[in-house]
Amino acid sequence: MTLTGMLFPLLRHLPEAPPSRTLAFALNLVRRRLWPDEDFGWLADKRIRFEVADMGRGVTIGFSGIRFRGEAPPADVTFTASFADYWAIARRNADPDTLFFQRRLTISGDTELGLQLKNLLDATDWEPLLALLPFHPRTT
């Protein structure tokens, strides 16, 4: 059984607040390295949700104007994809545009905000964030 096959059943029963807060904390740690010139004024007081379709779960984060924070749904914009597709985006093995046009990544809610965020995700080198994980994702 794969790691995801073992974790998904457990994760489906856990509250979403801890992973949302963890993602916000990690983004705050690496924000200046990931986006050194981005002020995120366009994201202030907005909520973004990343749904993992094959888990039936997700995380919701917001930006206060100063920092990212874990939030509760609902969100202004929701991205939905499988865990494998999010992982492929993070490792730069797939780009969000391709997955969007293949209907493997969906964006609902505020489409203008969603497209701006999708473009940011597409242009981001995620290595500083991935380096915080306890294993190197390029080799797993």
CSV table of all heavy atoms in Angstrom, one decimal, residues 24-65:
chain,number,residue,atom,x,y,z
A,24,ALA,N,-0.4,27.9,6.1
A,24,ALA,CA,-0.2,29.3,6.2
A,24,ALA,C,1.1,29.6,6.9
A,24,ALA,O,1.9,30.5,6.5
A,24,ALA,CB,-1.4,29.9,7.0
A,25,PHE,N,1.4,28.9,8.0
A,25,PHE,CA,2.7,29.0,8.7
A,25,PHE,C,3.9,28.8,7.7
A,25,PHE,O,4.8,29.6,7.7
A,25,PHE,CB,2.8,28.1,9.9
A,25,PHE,CG,4.1,28.1,10.6
A,25,PHE,CD1,4.3,29.2,11.5
A,25,PHE,CD2,5.0,27.2,10.5
A,25,PHE,CE1,5.5,29.2,12.2
A,25,PHE,CE2,6.2,27.2,11.2
A,25,PHE,CZ,6.4,28.3,12.1
A,26,ALA,N,3.8,27.7,6.9
A,26,ALA,CA,4.9,27.4,6.0
A,26,ALA,C,5.0,28.5,4.9
A,26,ALA,O,6.2,28.9,4.6
A,26,ALA,CB,4.7,26.0,5.3
A,27,LEU,N,3.9,29.0,4.4
A,27,LEU,CA,4.0,30.1,3.4
A,27,LEU,C,4.6,31.3,4.0
A,27,LEU,O,5.3,32.0,3.3
A,27,LEU,CB,2.6,30.3,2.8
A,27,LEU,CG,2.0,29.3,1.9
A,27,LEU,CD1,0.6,29.6,1.6
A,27,LEU,CD2,2.9,29.1,0.7
A,28,ASN,N,4.3,31.6,5.3
A,28,ASN,CA,4.9,32.8,5.9
A,28,ASN,C,6.4,32.6,6.1
A,28,ASN,O,7.1,33.6,5.9
A,28,ASN,CB,4.2,33.1,7.2
A,28,ASN,CG,2.8,33.6,7.1
A,28,ASN,OD1,2.5,34.4,6.2
A,28,ASN,ND2,1.9,33.2,8.0
A,29,LEU,N,6.8,31.4,6.3
A,29,LEU,CA,8.3,31.2,6.5
A,29,LEU,C,9.0,31.4,5.2
A,29,LEU,O,10.1,31.9,5.2
A,29,LEU,CB,8.5,29.7,6.9
A,29,LEU,CG,8.3,29.4,8.4
A,29,LEU,CD1,8.5,27.9,8.6
A,29,LEU,CD2,9.2,30.2,9.3
A,30,VAL,N,8.4,31.0,4.1
A,30,VAL,CA,9.1,31.1,2.8
A,30,VAL,C,8.6,32.2,1.8
A,30,VAL,O,9.1,32.3,0.7
A,30,VAL,CB,9.1,29.7,2.1
A,30,VAL,CG1,9.8,28.6,2.9
A,30,VAL,CG2,7.7,29.3,1.7
A,31,ARG,N,7.7,33.0,2.3
A,31,ARG,CA,7.0,34.0,1.4
A,31,ARG,C,8.1,34.9,0.7
A,31,ARG,O,8.0,35.1,-0.5
A,31,ARG,CB,6.1,34.8,2.3
A,31,ARG,CG,5.4,35.9,1.5
A,31,ARG,CD,4.5,36.7,2.4
A,31,ARG,NE,4.3,38.0,1.8
A,31,ARG,CZ,4.1,39.1,2.5
A,31,ARG,NH1,4.0,39.0,3.8
A,31,ARG,NH2,3.9,40.2,1.9
A,32,ARG,N,9.0,35.4,1.4
A,32,ARG,CA,10.0,36.3,0.8
A,32,ARG,C,10.9,35.6,-0.2
A,32,ARG,O,11.3,36.2,-1.2
A,32,ARG,CB,10.8,37.0,1.8
A,32,ARG,CG,10.0,37.9,2.8
A,32,ARG,CD,9.6,39.1,2.1
A,32,ARG,NE,8.9,40.0,3.0
A,32,ARG,CZ,7.8,40.7,2.7
A,32,ARG,NH1,7.4,40.6,1.5
A,32,ARG,NH2,7.2,41.4,3.6
A,33,ARG,N,11.1,34.3,0.0
A,33,ARG,CA,11.9,33.5,-1.0
A,33,ARG,C,11.1,33.1,-2.2
A,33,ARG,O,11.6,33.1,-3.3
A,33,ARG,CB,12.5,32.3,-0.3
A,33,ARG,CG,13.7,32.7,0.6
A,33,ARG,CD,14.4,31.4,1.1
A,33,ARG,NE,13.7,31.1,2.3
A,33,ARG,CZ,13.7,30.0,3.0
A,33,ARG,NH1,14.5,29.0,2.5
A,33,ARG,NH2,13.1,29.8,4.1
A,34,LEU,N,9.8,32.8,-2.0
A,34,LEU,CA,9.0,32.4,-3.1
A,34,LEU,C,8.6,33.6,-4.0
A,34,LEU,O,8.5,33.5,-5.2
A,34,LEU,CB,7.7,31.7,-2.6
A,34,LEU,CG,7.9,30.3,-2.0
A,34,LEU,CD1,6.5,29.8,-1.5
A,34,LEU,CD2,8.4,29.3,-3.0
A,35,TRP,N,8.2,34.7,-3.3
A,35,TRP,CA,7.7,35.9,-4.0
A,35,TRP,C,8.3,37.1,-3.5
A,35,TRP,O,7.7,37.9,-2.8
A,35,TRP,CB,6.2,35.9,-3.8
A,35,TRP,CG,5.5,34.7,-4.2
A,35,TRP,CD1,5.3,34.2,-5.4
A,35,TRP,CD2,4.8,33.7,-3.3
A,35,TRP,NE1,4.6,33.0,-5.4
A,35,TRP,CE2,4.3,32.7,-4.1
A,35,TRP,CE3,4.6,33.7,-1.9
A,35,TRP,CZ2,3.6,31.6,-3.5
A,35,TRP,CZ3,4.0,32.6,-1.4
A,35,TRP,CH2,3.4,31.6,-2.2
A,36,PRO,N,9.6,37.4,-3.8
A,36,PRO,CA,10.3,38.5,-3.2
A,36,PRO,C,9.7,39.9,-3.6
A,36,PRO,O,9.9,40.8,-2.8
A,36,PRO,CB,11.8,38.4,-3.7
A,36,PRO,CG,11.7,37.5,-4.9
A,36,PRO,CD,10.5,36.6,-4.7
A,37,ASP,N,9.1,40.0,-4.7
A,37,ASP,CA,8.6,41.3,-5.2
A,37,ASP,C,7.1,41.4,-5.1
A,37,ASP,O,6.5,42.4,-5.5
A,37,ASP,CB,9.0,41.5,-6.6
A,37,ASP,CG,10.6,41.5,-6.7
A,37,ASP,OD1,11.2,42.1,-5.8
A,37,ASP,OD2,11.1,41.0,-7.7
A,38,GLU,N,6.4,40.4,-4.5
A,38,GLU,CA,4.9,40.4,-4.5
A,38,GLU,C,4.4,41.0,-3.2
A,38,GLU,O,4.8,40.5,-2.1
A,38,GLU,CB,4.4,39.0,-4.6
A,38,GLU,CG,2.9,38.9,-4.7
A,38,GLU,CD,2.4,39.6,-5.9
A,38,GLU,OE1,2.8,39.3,-7.1
A,38,GLU,OE2,1.5,40.5,-5.7
A,39,ASP,N,3.6,42.0,-3.2
A,39,ASP,CA,3.0,42.6,-2.0
A,39,ASP,C,1.7,42.0,-1.6
A,39,ASP,O,1.2,42.2,-0.5
A,39,ASP,CB,2.9,44.1,-2.1
A,39,ASP,CG,1.8,44.5,-3.0
A,39,ASP,OD1,1.1,43.7,-3.6
A,39,ASP,OD2,1.6,45.8,-3.2
A,40,PHE,N,1.1,41.2,-2.5
A,40,PHE,CA,-0.2,40.5,-2.2
A,40,PHE,C,-1.3,41.5,-1.8
A,40,PHE,O,-2.3,41.0,-1.2
A,40,PHE,CB,0.0,39.4,-1.1
A,40,PHE,CG,0.8,38.3,-1.6
A,40,PHE,CD1,2.1,38.1,-1.2
A,40,PHE,CD2,0.2,37.3,-2.5
A,40,PHE,CE1,2.8,37.0,-1.7
A,40,PHE,CE2,1.0,36.3,-2.9
A,40,PHE,CZ,2.3,36.1,-2.5
A,41,GLY,N,-1.3,42.7,-2.2
A,41,GLY,CA,-2.4,43.6,-1.9
A,41,GLY,C,-3.7,43.1,-2.5
A,41,GLY,O,-4.8,43.3,-2.0
A,42,TRP,N,-3.6,42.5,-3.7
A,42,TRP,CA,-4.7,42.0,-4.4
A,42,TRP,C,-5.4,40.8,-3.7
A,42,TRP,O,-6.5,40.4,-3.9
A,42,TRP,CB,-4.4,41.6,-5.8
A,42,TRP,CG,-3.2,40.6,-5.9
A,42,TRP,CD1,-1.9,40.9,-5.9
A,42,TRP,CD2,-3.2,39.2,-5.9
A,42,TRP,NE1,-1.1,39.8,-6.0
A,42,TRP,CE2,-1.9,38.7,-6.0
A,42,TRP,CE3,-4.3,38.3,-5.9
A,42,TRP,CZ2,-1.6,37.4,-6.0
A,42,TRP,CZ3,-3.9,36.9,-5.9
A,42,TRP,CH2,-2.6,36.5,-6.0
A,43,LEU,N,-4.7,40.2,-2.7
A,43,LEU,CA,-5.1,39.1,-2.0
A,43,LEU,C,-5.6,39.4,-0.6
A,43,LEU,O,-6.2,38.6,0.1
A,43,LEU,CB,-4.0,38.0,-1.9
A,43,LEU,CG,-4.3,36.6,-1.5
A,43,LEU,CD1,-5.4,36.0,-2.3
A,43,LEU,CD2,-3.1,35.8,-1.5
A,44,ALA,N,-5.4,40.7,-0.1
A,44,ALA,CA,-5.8,41.1,1.2
A,44,ALA,C,-7.3,40.8,1.5
A,44,ALA,O,-8.1,41.1,0.7
A,44,ALA,CB,-5.5,42.5,1.4
A,45,ASP,N,-7.5,40.1,2.6
A,45,ASP,CA,-8.8,39.8,3.1
A,45,ASP,C,-9.6,38.9,2.2
A,45,ASP,O,-10.8,38.9,2.3
A,45,ASP,CB,-9.6,41.1,3.4
A,45,ASP,CG,-8.9,41.9,4.5
A,45,ASP,OD1,-8.4,41.4,5.5
A,45,ASP,OD2,-8.9,43.2,4.3
A,46,LYS,N,-8.9,38.1,1.4
A,46,LYS,CA,-9.6,37.1,0.5
A,46,LYS,C,-9.2,35.7,1.1
A,46,LYS,O,-8.2,35.5,1.7
A,46,LYS,CB,-9.0,37.2,-0.9
A,46,LYS,CG,-9.2,38.5,-1.6
A,46,LYS,CD,-10.7,38.7,-1.9
A,46,LYS,CE,-10.8,40.0,-2.7
A,46,LYS,NZ,-12.2,40.3,-3.0
A,47,ARG,N,-10.1,34.8,0.8
A,47,ARG,CA,-9.9,33.4,1.2
A,47,ARG,C,-9.8,32.5,0.0
A,47,ARG,O,-10.5,32.6,-0.9
A,47,ARG,CB,-11.1,32.9,2.1
A,47,ARG,CG,-11.2,33.5,3.4
A,47,ARG,CD,-12.3,33.0,4.2
A,47,ARG,NE,-12.4,33.7,5.5
A,47,ARG,CZ,-13.3,33.4,6.4
A,47,ARG,NH1,-14.1,32.4,6.2
A,47,ARG,NH2,-13.3,34.1,7.5
A,48,ILE,N,-8.8,31.6,0.1
A,48,ILE,CA,-8.5,30.7,-1.0
A,48,ILE,C,-8.6,29.3,-0.5
A,48,ILE,O,-8.1,29.0,0.6
A,48,ILE,CB,-7.0,30.9,-1.5
A,48,ILE,CG1,-6.8,32.3,-1.9
A,48,ILE,CG2,-6.7,29.9,-2.6
A,48,ILE,CD1,-5.3,32.7,-1.9
A,49,ARG,N,-9.3,28.5,-1.2
A,49,ARG,CA,-9.4,27.1,-0.8
A,49,ARG,C,-8.8,26.2,-1.8
A,49,ARG,O,-9.0,26.3,-3.0
A,49,ARG,CB,-10.9,26.7,-0.6
A,49,ARG,CG,-11.1,25.3,-0.1
A,49,ARG,CD,-12.4,25.1,0.6
A,49,ARG,NE,-12.6,23.8,1.0
A,49,ARG,CZ,-12.1,23.2,2.1
A,49,ARG,NH1,-11.4,23.9,2.9
A,49,ARG,NH2,-12.4,22.0,2.4
A,50,PHE,N,-8.0,25.2,-1.3
A,50,PHE,CA,-7.4,24.2,-2.2
A,50,PHE,C,-8.1,22.8,-1.8
A,50,PHE,O,-7.8,22.3,-0.7
A,50,PHE,CB,-5.9,24.1,-2.0
A,50,PHE,CG,-5.2,25.3,-2.4
A,50,PHE,CD1,-4.9,26.3,-1.5
A,50,PHE,CD2,-4.9,25.5,-3.8
A,50,PHE,CE1,-4.2,27.5,-1.9
A,50,PHE,CE2,-4.3,26.7,-4.2
A,50,PHE,CZ,-3.9,27.6,-3.3
A,51,GLU,N,-9.0,22.4,-2.6
A,51,GLU,CA,-9.7,21.1,-2.4
A,51,GLU,C,-8.9,20.0,-3.0
A,51,GLU,O,-8.4,20.1,-4.2
A,51,GLU,CB,-11.1,21.1,-3.0
A,51,GLU,CG,-12.1,21.9,-2.3
A,51,GLU,CD,-12.8,21.1,-1.2
A,51,GLU,OE1,-12.7,19.9,-1.2
A,51,GLU,OE2,-13.4,21.8,-0.4
A,52,VAL,N,-8.7,18.9,-2.3
A,52,VAL,CA,-8.0,17.7,-2.8
A,52,VAL,C,-9.2,16.7,-3.2
A,52,VAL,O,-9.8,16.1,-2.3
A,52,VAL,CB,-7.0,17.1,-1.8
A,52,VAL,CG1,-6.3,15.9,-2.4
A,52,VAL,CG2,-6.1,18.2,-1.3
A,53,ALA,N,-9.5,16.6,-4.4
A,53,ALA,CA,-10.7,15.9,-4.9
A,53,ALA,C,-10.7,14.5,-4.5
A,53,ALA,O,-11.7,14.0,-4.0
A,53,ALA,CB,-10.8,16.0,-6.4
A,54,ASP,N,-9.5,13.8,-4.5
A,54,ASP,CA,-9.5,12.3,-4.2
A,54,ASP,C,-9.5,12.1,-2.7
A,54,ASP,O,-9.7,11.0,-2.3
A,54,ASP,CB,-8.4,11.6,-4.9
A,54,ASP,CG,-7.1,12.3,-4.8
A,54,ASP,OD1,-7.0,13.5,-4.5
A,54,ASP,OD2,-6.1,11.6,-5.1
A,55,MET,N,-9.4,13.1,-1.9
A,55,MET,CA,-9.5,13.0,-0.5
A,55,MET,C,-10.8,13.5,0.1
A,55,MET,O,-11.2,13.2,1.2
A,55,MET,CB,-8.3,13.8,0.2
A,55,MET,CG,-7.0,13.2,0.1
A,55,MET,SD,-5.7,14.2,0.9
A,55,MET,CE,-6.4,14.4,2.6
A,56,GLY,N,-11.5,14.3,-0.7
A,56,GLY,CA,-12.7,14.9,-0.2
A,56,GLY,C,-12.4,15.9,0.9
A,56,GLY,O,-13.3,16.2,1.8
A,57,ARG,N,-11.2,16.5,0.9
A,57,ARG,CA,-10.8,17.4,2.0
A,57,ARG,C,-10.1,18.6,1.3
A,57,ARG,O,-9.8,18.5,0.1
A,57,ARG,CB,-9.9,16.8,3.0
A,57,ARG,CG,-10.4,15.6,3.7
A,57,ARG,CD,-11.6,15.9,4.6
A,57,ARG,NE,-11.1,16.5,5.8
A,57,ARG,CZ,-11.8,17.0,6.7
A,57,ARG,NH1,-13.1,16.9,6.6
A,57,ARG,NH2,-11.3,17.6,7.8
A,58,GLY,N,-9.8,19.6,2.1
A,58,GLY,CA,-9.0,20.7,1.6
A,58,GLY,C,-8.5,21.6,2.7
A,58,GLY,O,-8.7,21.3,3.9
A,59,VAL,N,-7.8,22.7,2.3
A,59,VAL,CA,-7.3,23.7,3.2
A,59,VAL,C,-7.8,25.0,2.7
A,59,VAL,O,-7.9,25.2,1.5
A,59,VAL,CB,-5.8,23.6,3.4
A,59,VAL,CG1,-5.4,22.3,4.0
A,59,VAL,CG2,-5.1,23.8,2.0
A,60,THR,N,-8.0,25.9,3.6
A,60,THR,CA,-8.4,27.3,3.3
A,60,THR,C,-7.5,28.2,4.0
A,60,THR,O,-7.2,28.1,5.2
A,60,THR,CB,-9.9,27.6,3.8
A,60,THR,OG1,-10.7,26.6,3.2
A,60,THR,CG2,-10.3,28.9,3.3
A,61,ILE,N,-6.9,29.1,3.2
A,61,ILE,CA,-6.0,30.1,3.7
A,61,ILE,C,-6.4,31.5,3.3
A,61,ILE,O,-7.2,31.7,2.3
A,61,ILE,CB,-4.5,29.9,3.3
A,61,ILE,CG1,-4.4,29.9,1.8
A,61,ILE,CG2,-4.0,28.6,3.9
A,61,ILE,CD1,-2.9,29.9,1.3
A,62,GLY,N,-6.0,32.5,4.0
A,62,GLY,CA,-6.2,33.9,3.7
A,62,GLY,C,-5.0,34.7,3.8
A,62,GLY,O,-4.0,34.2,4.3
A,63,PHE,N,-5.1,36.0,3.4
A,63,PHE,CA,-3.9,36.9,3.6
A,63,PHE,C,-4.5,38.1,4.3
A,63,PHE,O,-5.4,38.8,3.8
A,63,PHE,CB,-3.3,37.2,2.2
A,63,PHE,CG,-2.0,38.0,2.4
A,63,PHE,CD1,-0.9,37.4,2.8
A,63,PHE,CD2,-2.0,39.3,2.1
A,63,PHE,CE1,0.3,38.1,3.0
A,63,PHE,CE2,-0.8,40.1,2.2
A,63,PHE,CZ,0.3,39.4,2.6
A,64,SER,N,-3.9,38.5,5.4
A,64,SER,CA,-4.4,39.6,6.2
A,64,SER,C,-3.9,41.0,5.7
A,64,SER,O,-4.3,42.0,6.3
A,64,SER,CB,-3.9,39.4,7.7
A,64,SER,OG,-2.5,39.6,7.8
A,65,GLY,N,-3.1,41.0,4.7
A,65,GLY,CA,-2.4,42.2,4.3
A,65,GLY,C,-1.0,42.2,4.9
A,65,GLY,O,-0.1,43.0,4.4
